[in-house]
Amino acid sequence: MYSLIPVLEERLERKIIDISTKDLIDAVYRVVERNLPERDLIITVLYNPDYRKKLKDNLKIFLSERLKYIFLIYKDPSGKYRYLIDTTAKDNSANLLFMPLKEEITILDKVLKTKKVHYKIHKEVSTIGITYYLPVVQGREAKAILVADFSFEVL
């Protein structure tokens, strides 16, 4: 009986997180989806400053005390991840190198390969953080990854 407590606790935690973030992450993703260009997403973001600014401004609307960061990244031909858009950057962050954490590289590669959403829960002493990784699919190819970081204070 006592061995079930950690399992139930984890299920409850995941359910609370899902309820707390699902609608917002879906809305953020819809903004990207609805604003996909007819041409290649990566080329459009890198070479069309008006498009880049519009998408960044639309994504910045969602930033809050709980949703701390939203950015769009892609994998360049050499296998390095680079920013397309960073909603918290003051200057143009397009094409700057993104330095993923060691455990994130596997997740990022998996998102591009499977074209499926993944998330990672980070537990700190006073906060619980969740990072969502959503594939941005154009045509049949995952062109980029939308990354959103949530942070929740623990009671």
Side-chain angles (χ1 to χ4, degrees), residues 5 17 22 33 37 57 64 86 105 110 117 126-127 132 150:
I5 291 174
I17 288 167
K22 179 109 176 79
E33 227 177 20
D57 288 346
S64 67
D86 179 354
I105 294 171
K110 193 172 186 177
V117 175
S126 61
T127 61
Y132 279 88
F150 287 88

Side-chain angles (χ1 to χ4, degrees), residues 4 8-9 13 59 66-67 74 82 84 103 122 133 138 149:
L4 287 176
L8 293 174
E9 200 173 77
E13 181 180 87
L59 291 172
R66 289 196 171 179
L67 182 51
Y74 75 102
R82 296 186 175 277
L84 286 171
E103 65 270 10
H122 315 278
Y133 307 89
Q138 191 175 33
D149 279 329

Side-chain angles (χ1 to χ4, degrees), residues 106-118:
T106 305
I107 295 170
L108 295 171
D109 289 342
K110 193 172 186 177
V111 169
L112 288 177
K113 183 178 179 183
T114 64
K115 301 176 199 156
K116 292 185 179 175
V117 175
H118 288 273

Side-chain angles (χ1 to χ4, degrees), residues 48-61:
N48 185 334
D50 293 333
Y51 174 84
R52 183 173 54 244
K53 182 182 179 337
K54 179 184 170 198
L55 185 55
K56 180 178 179 178
D57 288 346
N58 286 334
L59 291 172
K60 280 172 70 170
I61 293 167

Side-chain angles (χ1 to χ4, degrees), residues 3-155:
S3 62
L4 287 176
I5 291 174
V7 173
L8 293 174
E9 200 173 77
E10 184 176 325
R11 283 186 189 165
L12 178 61
E13 181 180 87
R14 288 187 186 276
K15 189 67 175 168
I16 290 169
I17 288 167
D18 188 44
I19 290 168
S20 302
T21 60
K22 179 109 176 79
D23 290 342
L24 185 54
I25 201 68
D26 287 348
V28 171
Y29 187 73
R30 276 192 305 273
V31 165
V32 174
E33 227 177 20
R34 288 182 181 155
N35 287 287
L36 278 176
E38 289 182 25
R39 292 187 36 206
D40 185 85
L41 172 68
I42 296 168
I43 291 170
T44 303
V45 172
L46 292 177
Y47 298 106
N48 185 334
D50 293 333
Y51 174 84
R52 183 173 54 244
K53 182 182 179 337
K54 179 184 170 198
L55 185 55
K56 180 178 179 178
D57 288 346
N58 286 334
L59 291 172
K60 280 172 70 170
I61 293 167
F62 294 99
L63 294 177
S64 67
E65 284 297 313
R66 289 196 171 179
L67 182 51
K68 302 282 189 184
Y69 303 101
I70 303 171
F71 46 94
L72 204 56
I73 59 173
Y74 75 102
K75 192 172 190 176
D76 73 15
S78 69
K80 292 184 167 66
Y81 284 96
R82 296 186 175 277
Y83 285 98
L84 286 171
I85 293 174
D86 179 354
T87 57
T88 61
K90 301 256 187 262
D91 299 326
N92 176 17
S93 60
N95 217 30
L96 292 178
L97 192 61
F98 172 73
M99 303 291 276
L101 301 172
K102 195 182 288 187
E103 65 270 10
E104 277 185 309
I105 294 171
T106 305
I107 295 170
L108 295 171
D109 289 342
K110 193 172 186 177
V111 169
L112 288 177
K113 183 178 179 183
T114 64
K115 301 176 199 156
K116 292 185 179 175
V117 175
H118 288 273
Y119 66 90
K120 178 153 179 56
I121 299 172
H122 315 278
K123 294 181 184 178
E124 306 292 326
V125 175
S126 61
T127 61
I128 295 176
I130 309 156
T131 304
Y132 279 88
Y133 307 89
L134 298 97
V136 179
V137 179
Q138 191 175 33
R140 293 186 172 178
E141 184 182 355
K143 290 288 196 173
I145 301 171
L146 177 66
V147 182
D149 279 329
F150 287 88
S151 181
F152 298 95
E153 293 295 320
V154 177
L155 299 176

